[in-house]
Amino acid sequence: MRSFGQFKSIVMKRYFVLIFVLTIAVLTSTAKEPKWKSLFNGKNLDGWTVRGKATWVVKDGVLVGEGANGHIYATPELTDLEVKGKFRITSTGKDANSGLYFRANPPADNPDVYPRGYEAQICNSQEAHTGWLWKPGTPTGKATANLTKDGEWFDYRIKAVGTHIEFWINEQLVMTYDDSEYTKGYFAIQCHNPGMVIEAKELYYKDLSKK
């Protein structure tokens, strides 16, 4: 028969073993969780490549595109991903139209035209509005609501893992779709036409690809 001291010793050993196991589990989980990485430094266009005729500048920590049709591509090339940022679109005479592309690539034969990849639409003046998933020239995944207006900042978050794609606007899930056409590529922001301005800031991404 064990004494009280022996029983207490066994309990304490099991307690410390449990604490050790839980600590290792937490540390392992934390180590595996992808971290948000900055996509835009708020100072200049380092890490970005301009395609097309739009003009892109940095003003007061904001990435600004205007003047003509064109796209600006960010450096990381990813498969599974999550990306987020704040966006504002403004019309100065014509309808404002833009988009945040992912898994996108400039066509090899003419890199200045529209990317081949997925687009998270930014446009408040058409039926396939902000929150829709577009494939080149084609509205594809329907948004459940239009939560944005010209001249107002909004939060956009996109997640794509395998074939599954989800969009959030102001942390409200607005679009879910499955598609397998595009598997790898870059982020890009669009300036669709003269007479509009697209602004973006606080841009971050996660690489969710399995290592």
Side-chain angles (χ1 to χ4, degrees):
M1 183 175 180
R2 293 189 179 94
S3 67
F4 176 76
Q6 290 175 320
F7 178 76
K8 182 178 179 181
S9 176
I10 292 171
V11 170
M12 291 301 294
K13 286 180 180 179
R14 290 179 178 177
Y15 172 77
F16 284 118
V17 168
L18 178 61
I19 292 298
F20 177 76
V21 170
L22 290 175
T23 301
I24 294 298
V26 170
L27 291 174
T28 302
S29 175
T30 302
K32 289 183 178 180
E33 177 67 24
K35 304 295 185 182
W36 287 109
K37 298 180 181 180
S38 178
L39 198 60
F40 170 54
N41 63 20
K43 300 176 182 178
N44 52 48
L45 299 180
D46 288 355
W48 295 80
T49 301
V50 174
R51 300 288 190 183
K53 297 180 179 180
T55 299
W56 299 90
V57 297
V58 179
K59 297 180 181 178
D60 300 322
V62 178
L63 178 60
V64 182
E66 59 184 325
N69 181 268
H71 301 79
I72 186 167
Y73 290 81
T75 298
E77 184 182 19
L78 302 173
T79 52
D80 294 343
L81 58 96
E82 192 168 2
V83 60
K84 66 179 181 179
K86 295 181 180 292
F87 298 85
R88 179 168 66 180
I89 195 167
T90 307
S91 173
T92 60
K94 294 184 179 180
D95 291 339
N97 190 331
S98 180
L100 172 61
Y101 285 78
F102 56 99
R103 290 182 182 169
N105 293 277
D109 59 342
N110 187 358
D112 288 329
V113 299
Y114 291 95
R116 306 300 298 177
Y118 298 112
E119 178 188 4
Q121 174 76 316
I122 302 175
C123 179
N124 305 309
S125 59
Q126 58 180 268
E127 184 177 350
H129 48 70
T130 304
W132 274 68
L133 170 70
W134 281 62
K135 292 166 71 173
T138 306
T140 303
K142 184 178 180 179
T144 57
N146 186 1
L147 305 178
T148 63
K149 296 180 180 179
D150 284 8
E152 294 184 359
W153 286 100
F154 69 93
D155 295 326
Y156 220 161
R157 183 162 61 91
I158 287 89
K159 187 175 183 180
V161 177
T163 62
H164 193 64
I165 302 169
E166 297 175 310
F167 293 173
W168 289 263
I169 293 177
N170 297 332
E171 288 307 313
Q172 178 175 326
L173 181 64
V174 296
M175 200 292 303
T176 302
Y177 198 81
D178 283 274
D179 190 88
S180 61
E181 184 168 0
Y182 302 107
T183 59
K184 187 177 183 179
Y186 302 91
F187 299 117
I189 300 174
Q190 178 192 84
C191 181
H192 185 270
N193 54 267
M196 58 149 290
V197 178
I198 174 65
E199 299 172 274
K201 62 182 180 179
E202 300 177 26
L203 301 171
Y204 297 91
Y205 76 95
K206 286 182 181 180
D207 182 355
L208 302 180
S209 305
K210 294 180 179 179
K211 303 301 182 182

